[in-house]
Amino acid sequence: MANWYVKRGSQIAGPLTRERLNQLAAESKVQKTDLVREGEDGEFHPAAEVSDLFTGVESSAWDDFEAGPETQPQSSQPATKNNKMTLIIILAVVGVGGLFVVGILLALLLPAVEQARIAARRSQSKNNLKQIGLAMHNYNETHRILPPGGTLTIDGAPSQSWTTFIIPFMDEVALYNQIDFDYAWDHPSNQSIFRKEMPFFLNPNIEEKVSPEGLPLSHYVGNELMMGPNRGSSFRNVTDGLANTIMAYEVGDNFKPWGDPTNFAVPADRIGSGKKSAFPGGNHILMGDGRVRFLSENIDPGVLKALSTPDGGERIDEF
């Protein structure tokens, strides 16, 4: 079994079998002043202390010692320190380089991640408008007219909103039945109802979700030319075509609570050039036929006006 090692100066030879060690001693290539060790671990001892190893012939010719695969240098203490210092330098360079690479990857990936998030939010907001459109059509099927933008009390004060009238068609029948229509939406008897957040009235791209008074907001506004105070349009009166007329749209600021009866406006007053958009580049709009389109913030004001009127007779090119 090869488990003997010979050390002379800074060099260590081995592993050697005992037979090979005896042969090297007989050839005077291992001297009594050399150090030997049996096994992988342990301390070296003078070769002279190993019984039956020497026959009396000695040589100082370590240069004749058989090197090669059996000889391995032993690093000196200064060399060890130098190696450690070199390793530290290499690790430092690799570390800085790694941070640089990570920085580049983050710079490349973060915009893509943000774009994916915005795309997901756009998809959700678009779906919200589709739900609103479906509820509008179901309301029209039931009442043969669109809901009013907002109802007024006998003395002319705002009472209920168009969004309130469509919630029964958005799986909120139980909540709708709790509303006391003898009183306005902000009357104490109705306050607990209008403090409930309605996810389908919220654009996920907008952080502001509650008014200063603590009332849940709506990020969507009705087209005042389709739904005004105490007035709703009939689809048959939309002579410009439902596919060419805005019914509701998302906005980027000045939000109102979803129960607010004044949450309607002429689209050109809230979206388009110079207005804050709900998304980079524009806003989603709900057309009268239930389709949802993305409208550029740079849309021609004349086109926006034509899309807003239900019976203006304007010619509308592709937008």
Side-chain angles (χ1 to χ4, degrees), residues 74-296:
Q74 180 184 20
S75 301
S76 62
Q77 188 66 22
T80 301
K81 292 182 178 178
N82 290 338
N83 290 340
K84 289 182 178 178
M85 183 59 68
T86 301
L87 179 60
I88 291 173
I89 294 174
I90 292 174
L91 290 175
V93 172
V94 171
V96 173
L99 290 175
F100 181 70
V101 171
V102 170
I104 292 177
L105 290 175
L106 287 175
L108 294 174
L109 291 175
L110 286 179
V113 171
E114 183 60 22
Q115 288 179 2
R117 289 175 177 172
I118 292 176
R121 294 166 188 162
R122 283 185 57 170
S123 178
Q124 181 59 56
S125 187
K126 182 177 180 180
N127 185 63
N128 288 348
L129 279 171
K130 286 184 176 180
Q131 290 186 62
I132 292 172
L134 180 60
M136 290 279 210
H137 276 260
N138 286 334
Y139 183 97
N140 182 75
E141 285 291 322
T142 302
H143 301 282
R144 301 302 177 185
I145 195 170
L146 288 177
T151 57
L152 303 176
T153 61
I154 296 176
D155 56 2
S159 182
Q160 302 296 337
S161 171
W162 65 273
T163 48
T164 299
F165 293 116
I166 66 171
I167 63 173
F169 304 97
M170 303 181 81
D171 296 328
E172 290 291 347
V173 175
L175 185 69
Y176 179 83
N177 289 336
Q178 296 176 40
I179 300 173
D180 189 343
F181 286 95
D182 290 333
Y183 299 98
W185 74 286
D186 55 355
H187 188 273
S189 62
N190 286 326
Q191 277 295 281
S192 62
I193 298 170
F194 291 99
R195 287 187 179 275
K196 180 180 179 181
E197 183 178 282
M198 296 295 194
F200 41 75
F201 290 147
L202 294 174
N203 181 343
N205 198 49
I206 296 173
E207 294 184 1
E208 186 181 351
K209 293 179 172 56
V210 181
S211 72
E213 297 75 27
L215 297 172
L217 299 174
S218 172
H219 299 145
Y220 307 99
V221 176
N223 179 2
E224 184 175 358
L225 301 179
M226 289 278 282
M227 301 175 290
N230 276 345
R231 173 182 53 82
S233 298
S234 171
F235 281 161
R236 66 174 177 271
N237 294 330
V238 183
T239 56
D240 286 350
L242 294 176
N244 297 319
T245 306
I246 298 173
M247 191 157 53
Y249 51 97
E250 62 186 9
V251 293
D253 58 6
N254 298 323
F255 312 110
K256 295 183 179 181
W258 68 264
D260 191 328
T262 64
N263 190 30
F264 52 84
V266 176
D269 294 338
R270 299 299 307 276
I271 60 176
S273 179
K275 311 297 191 301
K276 185 175 181 180
S277 300
F279 286 97
N283 304 270
H284 288 102
I285 56 174
L286 170 66
M287 309 306 292
D289 62 355
R291 290 181 307 137
V292 176
R293 302 283 300 273
F294 189 76
L295 194 69
S296 171

Side-chain angles (χ1 to χ4, degrees), residues 25-33 48 54-61:
E27 294 173 357
S28 298
K29 293 181 178 180
V30 173
Q31 303 174 18
K32 292 182 179 181
T33 56
F54 295 95
T55 59
V57 180
E58 296 182 11
S59 171
S60 61

